[in-house]
Amino acid sequence: MDAKRVQIVTAGLGVFGRYGYRRTSMDLVAQAAGMSRPAVYQYFKNKQEVFRAVAEHVAAQVTAAAREAGEKARALPAEERLYRVLAVKLDVLAESVGAGSHAELFREAADIAADTVQAFEEAYRAVIEDVLQDCADVLGLRDSALSVRATADLLCDALAGIAQARQVAEVKHARLRHLAQLTVRGFTRTPEDAPPC
């Protein structure tokens, strides 16, 4: 990607994250990029194009970082490895999107960059599936009625809820750690081991 284009996308990420989609203007993007508005228009014809490019950038960044986290944590217990892969998305979104802008940006992304969002969700889910598959014997997933794909779907949905909650980062991370613990414990405990209610 051209250096100026990267500069605009990086600036756009900060501006959209701070102001949301509706309040962001090309003037704000240009100002954040340290460029004139006409210079920005040489690379992007409108705010939607900048937003799509930002969405593609974030998707690629999160997916690559999640893969790397999963690989680096290969020797760790399943619970910790799963937590680290899930935490990547939580951290990137928390760093780049202001708490008040989450819902709006996700809505706009679903409209403006639906294909990018769908491809990202599939790629991220695949990273989680890879971790679950690697840990399948430890977790007992091979004998589970719940497939690896269904488990990854549930984890992604739960992560989305945690990420959008109006809580401080520490609380979100604690909830994410609990999610990883519950997932691992749920699979490693057989129904016969479960105490009666």
Side-chain angles (χ1 to χ4, degrees), residues 27-192:
D27 284 329
L28 285 172
V29 172
Q31 186 177 21
M35 300 169 69
S36 68
R37 196 169 99 168
V40 172
Y41 279 112
Q42 290 178 3
Y43 294 90
F44 297 97
K45 69 179 181 181
N46 56 35
K47 180 170 75 168
Q48 282 187 329
E49 277 194 3
V50 176
F51 189 75
R52 280 188 62 82
V54 167
E56 290 166 3
H57 171 75
V58 170
Q61 179 185 12
V62 171
T63 303
R67 273 196 195 102
E68 184 179 340
E71 287 302 314
K72 284 184 175 178
R74 253 187 197 287
L76 297 176
E79 181 181 307
E80 183 63 23
R81 189 170 177 205
L82 191 57
Y83 166 77
R84 289 185 184 198
V85 169
L86 294 169
V88 167
K89 186 175 180 184
L90 184 65
D91 289 339
V92 171
L93 293 178
E95 289 171 11
S96 58
V97 179
S101 301
H102 270 118
E104 179 199 355
L105 289 176
F106 287 123
R107 265 194 321 274
E108 294 298 336
D111 289 340
I112 296 168
D115 55 335
T116 300
V117 171
Q118 182 178 355
F120 164 62
E121 293 299 338
E122 288 172 10
Y124 187 73
R125 185 184 309 107
V127 173
I128 295 170
E129 285 182 52
D130 288 346
V131 171
L132 291 170
Q133 199 64 50
D134 282 351
C135 301
D137 289 333
V138 172
L139 296 176
L141 277 171
R142 299 195 198 291
D143 302 324
S144 172
L146 195 60
S147 70
V148 169
R149 173 66 183 237
T151 304
D153 284 340
L154 286 171
L155 288 169
C156 286
D157 289 347
L159 174 59
I162 291 169
Q164 291 184 42
R166 289 184 172 259
Q167 297 290 338
V168 295
E170 293 80 21
V171 171
K172 290 181 181 185
H173 274 279
R175 288 179 178 173
L176 193 58
R177 194 166 285 286
H178 291 148
L179 176 64
Q181 289 171 350
L182 286 170
T183 301
V184 171
R185 288 180 188 167
F187 280 113
T188 55
R189 178 179 247 175
T190 62
E192 299 81 39

